[in-house]
């Protein structure tokens, strides 16, 4: 065997693999703590010692060192020979100024709301109850409406997830001839702004709840898309008073059970003209049950947090059929998400 051929992998015993998986919650929490402390931002101009980082983040130096060492052991940050830490390929994406930053998503995924609800996953599995509602006494979106701080973090995190897939989505579908493109439940509008860049003649309409639309205004100005984008606020369970050629819905239908999803899509069908397209941007569950896929773990997040679910192509086709649309095709994108295209019939 020469130096360039791969080393034989030491066989990892199955119980060790399982043990490693069992400790996954520590990985999530450690990445989230690093995100909350903006460590990657502090390293953007070069390596720093644990003492410097502890001063900048107002943390306990020996404990911070242990956090960094643990993370470096899984490729998040890197320790140099002289004991200083720097960003790694992975931790670059924890920088808040990275164009595809997932810093706020990493922060949010271990916030009180997610952490405590996932701590009650067993209850959801036993009873089918939504663990979030059991934990916080109400469904997640009304909770956010009453709690602006976690709500703002959620909106930032969604925007941060969107920034990592917006380009892939805009390139996977031809938006160039659209007249009007709406994003229903479009959050702070980052995806719509990205799509509008590929459709120079199109007008955009961003639809979401009033408090979210309010928060979107500043974000949109930063994106430079505000002049081609109108905003409409409302409740998609009441009506969606938006007429467009293409309706985007990213990570909307997965939040809801089948009856709720059909109610939203029926409201959309009342505004959409025959021939209008709906593009659901979701992680579709693949047919083979043993296939690794982000959708199957995200599905558990839906079980615990919202009572929604990730669906197969057939399940999306059924929802569309019940609400006045027909599924046309599923477009792959260069991201873990797909575009489920349907037409208003
Ligand atoms: N599409 C965005 C946000 C997804 S999160 C993205 O992928 O980044 C779900 C969105 O649905 C949130 O922005 C939330 O405010 C919105 N939403 C939830 N309930 C709603 C309702 N009843 N009417 C309108 N929008 C709603």
């Amino acid at each position: 065997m020469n130096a360039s051929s791969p080393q034989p992998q030491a066989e990892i015993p199955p119980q060790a693999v399982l043990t490693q998986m069992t400790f996954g919650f520590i990985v999530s929490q450690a990445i989230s703590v690093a995100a909350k402390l903006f460590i990657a931002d502090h390293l953007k101009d070069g390596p720093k010692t644990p003492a410097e980082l502890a001063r900048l983040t107002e943390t306990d130096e020996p404990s911070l060192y242990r956090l960094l060492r643990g993370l470096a052991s899984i490729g998040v940050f890197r320790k140099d020979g002289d004991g200083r830490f720097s960003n790694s390929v992975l931790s670059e994406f924890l920088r808040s100024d990275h164009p595809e930053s997932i810093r706020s998503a990493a922060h949010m995924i271990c916030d009180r709301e997610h952490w405590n609800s996932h701590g009650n996953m067993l209850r959801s599995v036993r009873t089918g109850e939504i663990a979030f509602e059991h934990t916080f006494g109400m469904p997640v979106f009304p909770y956010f409406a009453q709690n602006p701080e976690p709500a703002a973090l959620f909106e930032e995190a969604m925007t941060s997830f969107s920034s990592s897939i917006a380009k892939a989505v805009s390139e996977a579908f031809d938006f160039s001839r659209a007249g009007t493109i709406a994003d229903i439940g479009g959050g702070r509008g980052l995806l719509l702004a990205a799509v509008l860049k590929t459709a120079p003649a199109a007008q955009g309409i961003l639809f979401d709840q009033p408090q979210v639309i309010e928060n979107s205004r500043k974000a949109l100005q930063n994106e430079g898309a505000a002049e081609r984008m109108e905003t409409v606020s409302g409740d998609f369970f009441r009506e969606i008073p938006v007429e467009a050629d293409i309706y985007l819905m990213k990570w909307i239908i997965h939040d809801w059970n089948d009856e709720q999803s059909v109610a939203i899509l029926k409201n959309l069908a009342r505004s959409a003209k025959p021939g209008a397209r709906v593009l659901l941007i979701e992680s579709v569950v693949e047919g083979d049950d043993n296939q690794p896929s982000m959708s199957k773990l995200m599905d558990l997040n839906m079980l615990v947090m919202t009572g929604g679910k990730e669906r197969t192509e057939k399940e999306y086709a059924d929802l569309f059929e019940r609400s006045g649309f027909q599924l046309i095709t599923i477009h792959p994108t260069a991201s873990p998400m797909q575009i489920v295209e349907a037409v208003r019939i």
Side-chain angles (χ1 to χ4, degrees), residues 141-142 144 154-155 157-163 165 183-191 206-213 233-240 248-256 264 281 337:
F141 290 111
F144 282 146
F154 176 78
E155 288 164 29
M158 287 297 119
T159 304
S160 131
F161 278 128
S162 284
S163 73
I165 59 102
D183 194 351
I184 307 303
R188 293 192 180 174
L190 184 136
L191 176 67
L206 180 68
F207 177 85
D208 209 299
Q209 305 185 89
Q211 71 277 14
V212 180
I213 289 296
S233 59
D235 172 359
F236 50 44
F237 287 107
R238 284 176 182 274
E239 61 164 345
I240 304 175
L248 307 172
M249 292 178 113
K250 174 173 161 279
W251 267 352
I252 301 301
I253 295 303
H254 83 158
D255 284 338
W256 307 100
I264 296 169
I281 297 144
M337 308 201 70

Side-chain angles (χ1 to χ4, degrees), residues 51-254:
E52 287 170 308
L53 285 169
R55 222 177 10 257
L56 288 164
T57 56
E58 298 177 355
T59 52
D60 175 55
E61 184 191 331
S63 306
L64 179 66
Y65 169 71
R66 291 161 67 183
L67 177 81
L68 296 169
R69 182 180 61 178
L71 284 170
S73 78
I74 52 165
V76 184
F77 305 115
R78 217 182 41 229
K79 191 175 162 202
D80 303 340
D82 59 4
R84 295 187 304 169
F85 284 88
S86 50
N87 276 330
S88 63
V89 174
L90 297 182
S91 71
E92 279 290 324
F93 291 91
L94 290 179
R95 280 171 55 173
S96 50
D97 63 346
H98 192 290
E100 294 176 305
S101 171
I102 59 155
R103 194 212 65 84
S104 40
H107 177 156
M108 177 206 70
I109 212 68
C110 292
D111 64 8
R112 195 174 147 260
E113 286 73 20
H114 284 77
W115 194 253
N116 292 359
S117 301
H118 276 270
N120 285 322
M121 187 189 281
L122 177 59
R123 188 169 181 104
S124 287
V125 173
R126 278 225 166 98
T127 65
E129 200 184 334
I130 302 167
F132 181 93
E133 294 189 17
H134 172 73
T135 315
F136 292 96
M138 66 180 91
V140 68
F141 290 111
Y143 173 90
F144 282 146
Q146 290 175 28
N147 292 277
E149 214 176 294
L153 177 62
F154 176 78
E155 288 164 29
E156 273 168 38
M158 287 297 119
T159 304
S160 131
F161 278 128
S162 284
S163 73
S164 68
I165 59 102
K167 187 161 167 281
V169 169
S170 333
E171 285 170 356
F173 189 87
D174 181 10
F175 291 99
S176 63
R177 275 165 299 161
T180 309
I181 305 169
D183 194 351
I184 307 303
R188 293 192 180 174
L190 184 136
L191 176 67
L192 183 55
V195 165
L196 284 178
K197 281 181 194 149
T198 70
Q203 289 297 314
I205 305 175
L206 180 68
F207 177 85
D208 209 299
Q209 305 185 89
Q211 71 277 14
V212 180
I213 289 296
E214 200 46 51
N215 292 339
S216 76
R217 292 186 208 285
K218 195 163 154 273
L220 288 180
Q221 268 149 19
N222 294 343
E223 279 301 311
E227 66 280 3
R228 272 204 288 145
M229 209 191 287
E230 183 191 325
T231 55
V232 177
S233 59
D235 172 359
F236 50 44
F237 287 107
R238 284 176 182 274
E239 61 164 345
I240 304 175
V242 173
E243 212 187 300
D245 303 313
I246 299 177
Y247 295 90
L248 307 172
M249 292 178 113
K250 174 173 161 279
W251 267 352
I252 301 301
I253 295 303
H254 83 158

Side-chain angles (χ1 to χ4, degrees), residues 235-309:
D235 172 359
F236 50 44
F237 287 107
R238 284 176 182 274
E239 61 164 345
I240 304 175
V242 173
E243 212 187 300
D245 303 313
I246 299 177
Y247 295 90
L248 307 172
M249 292 178 113
K250 174 173 161 279
W251 267 352
I252 301 301
I253 295 303
H254 83 158
D255 284 338
W256 307 100
N257 67 30
D258 287 356
E259 283 58 48
Q260 293 164 324
S261 299
V262 168
I264 296 169
L265 290 172
K266 278 189 171 164
N267 280 341
L268 190 62
R270 284 199 287 143
S271 300
K273 293 241 157 61
R277 294 292 200 262
V278 180
L279 306 182
L280 306 183
I281 297 144
E282 301 278 4
S283 288
V284 179
V285 175
E286 305 284 332
D288 175 0
D289 280 346
N290 294 316
Q291 196 76 17
S293 163
M294 174 176 142
S295 63
K296 293 168 192 168
L297 294 178
M298 181 59 94
D299 182 55
L300 296 178
N301 194 34
M302 294 301 111
L303 175 74
V304 162
M305 295 297 289
T306 68
K309 62 197 247 197

